[in-house]
């Protein structure tokens, strides 16, 4: 690789791409550049925000009290290019990837995302029932982060005031009874790492390294995510040509911004039901009812709710969750001999094949179809943030709660959509390791509506879930089969955005 393509100017890359922020307060604001048919003064708006945009430069010990990052949809870029062709010439817009141009509601993207097959998730119902209008007119998302609620409120008020003054319209993605319709971060159980289903989140996120690091357990080649750098894998983030679109996009990254409602009541009741139903079959574990609920939660996800890996602790959570200490990074080959990729040694006896973390990142899963070069499965950088009030009763209270997902990638089709396809149809491993006539789904994120959909893109998929049980010659035990998993997730909205470089944001701002 040419030396020019192996270096990255961190000061030109938006910060959330290269690091997961630990600021406990955030709000994600959606805007349209059109107000009653009149285009907003986007130049002054972006100029007002520019000095508050956080780059990927290391801030050292002085963590910013508040900061923001900005994503722009294709429709937003198209409007900006019409107003100022120097940003991106209109003739060059087609250089952007088709998935970005067409949006996540398009037929091709929906073949993987499958929202159109679930009545609760169809794109026309996104964004609090205003899906079609918002999908066409959502142009910009501002991600605001802060160390305190006061700092957050001050910056949110600053952004919304600048938007209003310059003719932008704020889009409220939730019903008014939910935090005034905005997407504010929630702290669950007084723990900023928890999500509504009770899991500790953000574990084993890959860091971006130099070229050639793709496939390592904790590090990925940055050129699979940052636009404009050549590499030897199939994923080559683009535009990667000499057009103004390519110049504008360089050092940017794509973000699948996805709002997922989590049915916490159904999830919690499901765990209770399974703990009661299989109490006798699992009596050998010596777990009480509450502990059995945790056992089922771990099998659904692929790790315990405190974050410890099933491969090291298949029956009870470990107090040690630091993978640097355990030496285990959620891999799925045999622990007895990690150098032996032997399909006859079923790691799934500890971590079910359809557990969420295994489907979303098979890592060293044996015999993965080659979809991203030669160094492992496709990866995404994930920034998950809970929204909505915590459910503190056993019954659903009718309020919206779930996950704000920022799924960062270099190619929507080859990374984000590929993984979502696997979640809906577990064909990420080939025979003889795992091969069935009716593939299952991701135990948590799978779209169960596909099982009965007559026009399903994945015919024959099943909603059953098998939990293999380790047996010995002296203690043979049967696997547990759950005939039909319920629907735990619904999509509240999705937007495909570009997180432009600082240089490109400065150009929009007229600097």
């Amino acid at each position: 690789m040419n030396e020019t393509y192996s270096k990255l100017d961190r000061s030109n890359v938006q910060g959330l791409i290269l690091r997961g922020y630990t600021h406990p307060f955030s709000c994600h604001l959606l805007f349209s550049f059109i107000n009653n048919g009149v285009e907003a003064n986007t130049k002054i708006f972006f100029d007002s925000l520019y000095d508050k945009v956080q780059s990927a430069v290391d801030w050292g010990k002085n963590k910013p009290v508040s900061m923001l990052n900005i994503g722009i949809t294709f429709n937003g870029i198209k409007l900006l290019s019409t107003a100022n062709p120097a940003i991106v010439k209109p003739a060059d817009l087609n250089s952007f990837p088709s998935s970005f141009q067409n949006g996540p509601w398009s037929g091709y993207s929906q073949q993987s995302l499958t929202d159109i097959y679930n009545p609760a998730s169809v794109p026309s119902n996104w964004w609090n029932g205003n899906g079609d209008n918002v999908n066409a007119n959502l142009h910009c998302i501002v991600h605001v982060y802060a160390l305190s609620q006061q700092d957050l409120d001050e910056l949110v008020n600053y952004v919304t005031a600048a938007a209003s003054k310059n003719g932008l319209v704020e889009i409220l993605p939730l019903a008014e009874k939910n935090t005034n319709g905005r997407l504010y971060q929630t702290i669950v159980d007084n723990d900023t790492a928890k999500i509504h289903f009770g899991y500790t989140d953000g574990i084993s996120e890959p860091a971006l390294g130099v070229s050639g690091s793709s496939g390592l357990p904790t590090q990925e080649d940055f050129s699979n995510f940052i636009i404009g750098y050549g590499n030897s894998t199939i994923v080559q983030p683009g535009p990667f040509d000499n057009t103004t679109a390519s110049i504008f996009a360089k050092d940017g990254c794509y973000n699948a911004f996805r709002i997922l409602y989590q049915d916490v009541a159904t999830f919690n009741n499901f765990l209770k039901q399974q703990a009661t139903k299989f109490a006798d079959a699992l009596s050998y574990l010596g777990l009480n009812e509450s502990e059995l609920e945790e056992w089922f939660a771990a099998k659904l996800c692929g790790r315990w709710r405190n974050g410890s890996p099933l491969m090291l602790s298949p029956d009870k959570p470990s107090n040690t969750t630091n993978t640097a200490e355990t030496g285990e990074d959620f891999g799925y080959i045999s622990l007895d001999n990690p150098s032996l990729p032997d399909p006859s040694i079923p790691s799934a006896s500890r971590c079910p094949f359809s557990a969420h973390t295994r489907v979303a990142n098979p890592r060293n899963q044996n015999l993965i179809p080659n979809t991203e070069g030669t160094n492992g499965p496709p990866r995404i950088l994930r920034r998950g943030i809970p929204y909505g009030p915590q459910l503190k009763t056993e019954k659903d209270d009718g309020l919206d709660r779930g996950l704000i997902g920022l799924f960062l990638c270099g190619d929507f089709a080859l990374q984000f959509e590929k993984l979502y396809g696997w979640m809906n149809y577990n064909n990420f491993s080939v025979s003889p390791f795992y091969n069935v006539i009716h593939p299952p789904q991701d135990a948590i994120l799978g779209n169960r509506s596909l099982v009965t959909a007559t026009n399903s893109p994945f015919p024959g998929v099943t909603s059953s879930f098998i939990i293999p049980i380790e047996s010995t010659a002296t203690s043979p035990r049967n696997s547990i089969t759950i005939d039909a998993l319920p629907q735990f997730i619904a999509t509240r909205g999705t937007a495909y955005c570009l997180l432009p470089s600082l240089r490109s944001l400065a150009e929009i701002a007229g600097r």
Side-chain angles (χ1 to χ4, degrees):
M1 178 182 294
N2 187 293
E3 184 67 19
T4 303
Y5 293 111
S6 64
K7 294 181 179 179
L8 188 67
D9 180 3
R10 298 177 71 93
S11 67
N12 196 38
V13 178
Q14 293 203 53
L16 68 81
I17 300 170
L18 298 187
R19 68 196 311 166
Y21 297 149
T22 57
H23 288 61
F25 298 90
S26 70
C27 184
H28 306 265
L29 302 164
L30 284 60
F31 296 104
S32 174
F33 294 160
I34 301 292
N35 187 352
N36 292 323
V38 179
E39 289 191 26
N41 192 334
T42 51
K43 178 179 177 180
I44 296 180
F45 173 72
F46 278 88
D47 183 62
S48 300
L49 271 53
Y50 183 80
D51 291 334
K52 302 180 184 302
V53 176
Q54 180 62 44
S55 76
V57 172
D58 188 359
W59 56 53
K61 296 180 180 179
N62 299 317
K63 185 181 292 187
V65 296
S66 64
M67 58 191 182
L68 59 83
N69 287 119
I70 302 174
I72 308 174
T73 66
F74 177 76
N75 287 339
I77 295 174
K78 186 161 58 172
L79 278 176
L80 293 172
S81 71
T82 300
N84 183 2
I87 295 173
V88 177
K89 292 180 181 179
D92 291 342
L93 289 171
N94 284 335
S95 292
F96 283 104
S98 59
S99 55
F100 180 50
Q101 294 184 49
N102 297 329
W105 54 84
S106 67
Y108 182 84
S109 293
Q110 282 299 314
Q111 292 299 296
S112 297
L113 304 182
T114 72
D115 301 306
I116 58 175
Y117 300 96
N118 182 352
S121 299
V122 292
S124 59
N125 289 333
W126 289 352
W127 316 117
N128 193 29
N130 299 307
D132 290 340
N133 182 55
V134 174
N135 291 336
N137 293 289
L138 172 56
H139 300 132
C140 172
I141 301 178
V142 180
H143 309 278
V144 183
Y145 302 88
L147 293 178
S148 71
Q149 186 65 54
Q150 180 179 344
D151 293 323
L152 181 72
D153 290 342
E154 289 179 358
L155 189 49
V156 166
N157 290 338
Y158 177 87
V159 172
T160 54
S164 178
K165 181 179 179 180
N166 291 289
L168 283 78
V169 176
E170 183 180 0
I171 297 169
L172 298 178
L174 302 177
E176 291 286 339
K177 62 182 178 181
N178 282 80
T179 58
N180 297 321
R182 289 177 178 160
L183 289 164
Y184 282 96
Q185 178 175 347
T186 297
I187 299 178
V188 178
D189 287 335
N190 297 315
D191 186 343
T192 57
K194 290 284 187 182
I195 62 173
H196 285 292
F197 282 164
Y199 298 103
T200 299
D201 204 17
I203 295 175
S204 191
E205 278 289 286
L208 295 191
V210 297
S211 177
S213 64
S214 180
L216 295 177
T218 58
Q219 197 170 67
E220 287 290 310
D221 187 333
F222 76 80
S223 57
N224 277 319
F225 299 85
I226 308 296
I227 298 170
Y229 295 84
N231 59 49
S232 59
T233 66
I234 293 174
V235 176
Q236 293 194 6
F240 196 68
D241 51 31
N242 294 319
T243 64
T244 55
S246 177
I247 296 170
F248 178 83
K250 188 175 187 299
D251 282 337
C253 177
Y254 293 111
N255 174 24
F257 180 78
R258 193 158 167 89
I259 311 305
L260 297 173
Y261 165 75
Q262 294 179 318
D263 190 341
V264 179
T266 294
F267 186 79
N268 290 342
N269 288 328
F270 173 79
L271 297 180
K272 291 181 181 295
Q273 292 164 5
Q274 305 314 306
T276 300
K277 180 178 180 179
F278 293 102
D280 290 341
L282 297 173
S283 60
Y284 70 94
L285 293 173
L287 304 177
N288 60 35
E289 184 177 345
S290 178
E291 290 170 332
L292 273 178
E293 291 175 25
E294 291 299 315
W295 187 88
F296 277 99
K299 299 300 181 179
L300 291 175
C301 185
R303 55 179 169 82
W304 295 90
R305 290 208 269 201
N306 74 345
S308 57
L310 276 176
M311 288 296 289
L312 291 183
S313 306
D315 297 328
K316 289 186 178 182
S318 168
N319 293 326
T320 302
T321 59
N322 188 333
T323 56
E325 295 178 15
T326 63
E328 203 279 336
D329 193 54
F330 301 91
Y332 303 113
I333 56 176
S334 169
L335 289 175
D336 297 328
N337 188 352
S339 65
L340 181 65
D342 185 352
S344 67
I345 303 176
S347 63
S349 64
R350 295 191 170 194
C351 179
F353 183 76
S354 294
H356 169 64
T357 57
R358 186 172 191 148
V359 178
N361 181 10
R363 295 174 175 84
N364 56 5
Q365 168 74 61
N366 201 28
L367 298 174
I368 299 173
N370 186 1
T371 58
E372 192 198 11
T374 59
N375 294 320
R379 299 296 306 270
I380 55 175
L381 304 175
R382 181 179 172 278
R383 315 287 183 233
I385 305 146
Y387 77 90
Q390 184 177 351
L391 182 66
K392 296 184 178 180
T393 65
E394 293 187 1
K395 294 184 178 180
D396 184 57
D397 56 10
L399 297 178
D400 210 331
R401 60 180 55 81
L403 191 75
I404 304 167
L406 283 69
F407 302 99
L408 309 181
C409 59
D411 188 301
F412 290 116
L414 292 178
Q415 290 170 297
F416 175 69
E417 291 175 2
K418 181 64 178 178
L419 290 176
Y420 241 92
W422 285 357
M423 291 179 194
N424 286 311
Y425 192 80
N426 292 172
N427 63 342
F428 60 89
S429 187
V430 298
S431 179
F433 184 78
Y434 194 85
N435 186 32
V436 294
I437 297 175
H438 297 291
Q441 297 182 313
D442 184 302
I444 296 178
L445 264 70
N447 182 358
R448 315 298 178 217
S449 298
L450 293 174
V451 176
T452 56
T454 57
N455 57 343
S456 168
F458 302 121
V461 70
T462 177
S463 60
S464 63
F465 182 60
I466 298 174
I467 304 176
I469 303 295
E470 288 186 277
S471 295
T472 65
T474 56
S475 299
R477 298 186 177 97
N478 295 323
S479 297
I480 287 175
T481 298
I482 297 171
D483 294 329
L485 289 168
Q487 185 78 46
F488 297 126
I489 300 287
T491 306
R492 292 291 190 249
T494 306
Y496 282 175
C497 296
L498 171 70
L499 294 163
S501 69
L502 275 290
R503 211 169 286 130
S504 293
L505 289 175
E507 187 173 14
I508 297 172
R511 294 198 174 202

